Amino acid sequence: MYGLADCNNFFVSCERVFRPSLEGRPVVVLSNNDGCAVARSNEAKALGITMGQPLFQFRELVQRHRIEVFSSNYRLYSDMSHRVHSTLRGLVPAVEVYSIDEAFLDLRGIPLEELTELGHRISRICRRDTGIPVSVGIAPTKTLAKVASKLCKQYPRLNGACLMYRAEDIEKVLRRFPIGDVWGIGRRYVKRWTAAGIRTAWDFVSLPEEIVSVQMGITGVRTWRELRGEPSIDFEQQRSPKQQICVSRSFSEEITSIEQLHGQLASFAAQCAVKLRTQRSACHEAIIFISTNRYRGDSEQAYLNRMTIFPVATDSTLEIESGVRAMLNDCFREGLSYKRAGVILSGIVPRDRVQGHLFDSLDREKHARLMSAVDAVNAVAADPWSPTVRIASQAEKVLNHSDHRSPAYTTDWNDLPVVHI
């Protein structure tokens, strides 16, 4: 059996840990630059605020219903995530961290009759030790465990844990479970299946395996088998290296000059390179994109992108930034006002398996030593966006609004909570 521990409305819950007065009140956490809703309390959802909805579209609701609005505080959320995952590791044989607010639990070998109580115990202890409410779904496969965890959120009477293993119970749930909510079935496939009359998870598992294979390949077949109770997705205690790394932002003000835009993209490239080195990888490809403000109907709209291929896979900030600069020079259009940009690294391979090039003129050992020294110095910086050492082309600061950010309660001595007795 497998479990999924899913933190309820995680970003909102993190804010509520340090502001208990927010319990029962509508709360929204915004994306970078205070642009869109990325987390909503149940009370905010009930008011009609949708995931990804721009703030300007529901600002009137904020004022009318006294909705508490927070800027994203990812340092706080990351630390709270580590606390939850650490708590889980003390309660079950093995944990696979899936995302900042989700973790799979390896429950194989635990007697079936003990699983319901274990699920309740996990939920209860996580709330007690971290302050974060956690829904625990337990089922024969990882995909069904995801379904069970969603049931916990829908039905409070389950008290934070749902064990789903009998065939008749699984069928009953899947007959009402929307196919768009199934883990592993993305929007493109949802459109395709819905057009074909496949609207629920049960409709999907009732299809012949051959049809699923033709339409979705081996990934779809794994999901199909998992929904039928056949474990087909491996449990991984160690996180696999990312196959794509992206850093992107919307800017607090529109950018018109190539120099200013280059500074922002250079900072994004540096962040991507750090993530690449952290997982001991190198990349073959880099992509940049720049776009105008899609919410401004009074100005010309454009989405521009370019890709470059490195002859030898690299993790050097200097080499990646150089490629970014060349791509920007190639695609930048004068006269436009840019609101969003990003850098994407792909073609990622392990650093110790990089294929050399006969005519490579770069001193890669020198680059490696330099990057190692820079990373060591910047590791003690309070903010990754304000590194102690940076390349000259990086912007001094990212153009980003965070007018509603809460204190870094757990990661900064200056922001430690004060208790009044």
Side-chain angles (χ1 to χ4, degrees):
M1 301 289 280
Y2 299 90
L4 178 79
D6 187 359
C7 301
N8 301 347
N9 304 324
F10 181 56
F11 294 172
V12 169
S13 295
C14 290
E15 301 292 351
R16 282 175 165 171
V17 168
F18 302 96
R19 292 269 304 274
S21 61
L22 297 177
E23 289 289 345
R25 294 180 55 190
V27 180
V28 173
V29 176
L30 302 174
S31 62
N32 289 303
N33 200 37
D34 291 349
C36 305
V38 293
R40 304 149 296 149
S41 67
N42 292 336
E43 297 80 8
K45 294 175 185 177
L47 293 174
I49 298 173
T50 59
M51 179 65 81
Q53 185 175 4
L55 174 61
F56 74 84
Q57 291 185 359
F58 62 88
R59 196 179 294 278
E60 190 270 334
L61 284 176
V62 170
Q63 297 171 349
R64 190 196 319 166
H65 297 281
R66 296 177 58 245
I67 299 173
E68 288 284 347
V69 175
F70 289 92
S71 303
S72 296
N73 190 343
Y74 292 119
R75 290 175 60 202
L76 173 65
Y77 307 153
S78 178
D79 184 66
M80 295 300 291
S81 174
H82 288 316
R83 291 167 188 248
V84 172
H85 295 153
S86 178
T87 302
L88 292 172
R89 291 188 179 95
L91 297 171
V92 297
V95 172
E96 175 191 337
V97 176
Y98 178 66
S99 67
I100 193 171
D101 62 345
E102 292 178 290
F104 286 107
L105 315 175
D106 188 355
L107 306 179
R108 290 173 290 185
I110 298 176
L112 187 64
E113 60 272 14
E114 298 179 12
L115 290 175
T116 298
E117 173 53 32
L118 175 60
H120 286 130
R121 182 167 175 262
I122 292 170
S123 181
R124 185 172 60 251
I125 291 177
C126 282
R127 183 61 184 263
R128 183 196 70 191
D129 290 359
T130 69
I132 303 295
V134 174
S135 296
V136 181
I138 302 173
T141 70
K142 293 169 75 173
T143 303
L144 287 174
K146 290 269 284 185
V147 173
S149 72
K150 288 182 180 290
L151 294 182
C152 291
K153 297 181 179 182
Q154 295 175 10
Y155 302 103
R157 67 176 182 271
L158 292 173
N159 294 320
C162 174
L163 172 62
M164 189 174 69
Y165 68 95
R166 291 182 298 190
E168 57 270 29
D169 293 337
I170 293 174
E171 178 180 342
K172 182 179 178 181
V173 170
L174 296 188
R175 283 186 179 277
R176 295 179 297 174
F177 200 80
I179 190 170
D181 290 344
V182 174
W183 180 48
I185 300 183
R187 295 178 187 174
R188 181 165 59 93
Y189 288 118
V190 170
K191 282 186 177 181
R192 183 181 302 178
W193 289 124
T194 301
I198 309 300
R199 291 180 167 80
T200 67
W202 184 253
D203 294 337
F204 180 70
V205 299
S206 299
L207 292 169
E209 181 177 348
E210 294 77 13
I211 291 180
V212 176
S213 179
V214 169
Q215 294 293 327
M216 298 180 68
I218 187 61
T219 302
V221 171
R222 287 197 189 105
T223 299
W224 180 83
R225 290 175 179 169
E226 289 256 319
L227 289 171
R228 295 168 67 91
E230 306 170 21
S232 302
I233 301 176
D234 294 336
F235 189 91
E236 301 176 2
Q237 284 186 253
Q238 298 296 325
R239 246 181 168 176
S240 299
K242 292 183 179 181
Q243 297 305 301
Q244 189 176 79
I245 294 173
C246 175
V247 174
S248 64
R249 290 290 186 277
S250 292
F251 307 125
S252 57
E253 57 191 58
E254 294 180 2
I255 295 176
T256 57
S257 75
I258 191 172
E259 293 81 10
Q260 192 175 16
L261 190 56
H262 176 218
Q264 299 295 311
L265 284 169
S267 294
F268 300 166
Q271 280 290 298
C272 283
V274 169
K275 293 181 179 183
L276 195 65
R277 293 192 292 272
T278 299
Q279 68 175 34
R280 302 183 66 80
S281 299
C283 71
H284 277 290
E285 301 168 354
I287 299 169
I288 68 163
F289 66 85
I290 54 178
S291 66
T292 54
N293 188 347
R294 59 176 176 168
Y295 295 110
R296 280 194 58 182
D298 60 342
S299 60
E300 183 181 353
Q301 298 293 305
Y303 178 89
L304 308 168
N305 61 79
R306 291 292 187 275
M307 183 179 79
T308 190
I309 298 177
F310 301 109
V312 178
T314 181
D315 64 359
S316 170
T317 299
L318 300 178
E319 190 173 10
I320 294 171
E321 188 278 333
S322 178
V324 166
R325 183 173 63 251
M327 288 186 284
L328 178 61
N329 288 335
D330 186 49
C331 72
F332 182 83
R333 283 175 51 190
E334 292 283 355
L336 295 180
S337 299
Y338 298 96
K339 183 64 174 177
R340 183 174 177 82
V343 174
I344 304 170
L345 305 183
S346 58
I348 293 176
V349 297
R351 189 164 61 190
D352 58 0
R353 299 181 191 174
V354 172
Q355 178 67 48
H357 190 281
L358 182 61
F359 301 105
D360 185 17
S361 60
L362 198 66
D363 188 339
R364 299 197 175 273
E365 289 189 8
K366 183 178 180 180
H367 272 245
R369 292 194 302 271
L370 175 60
M371 293 298 102
S372 179
V374 169
D375 290 344
V377 173
N378 288 338
V380 298
D383 185 353
W385 289 107
S386 300
T388 304
V389 179
R390 64 177 185 267
I391 58 177
S393 58
Q394 284 182 242
E396 290 189 14
K397 65 176 182 176
V398 174
L399 296 177
N400 199 303
H401 276 313
S402 54
D403 298 334
H404 310 283
R405 180 169 294 166
S406 55
Y409 296 107
T410 63
T411 58
D412 190 327
W413 288 105
N414 298 316
D415 286 341
L416 284 178
V418 177
V419 177
H420 298 280
I421 300 177

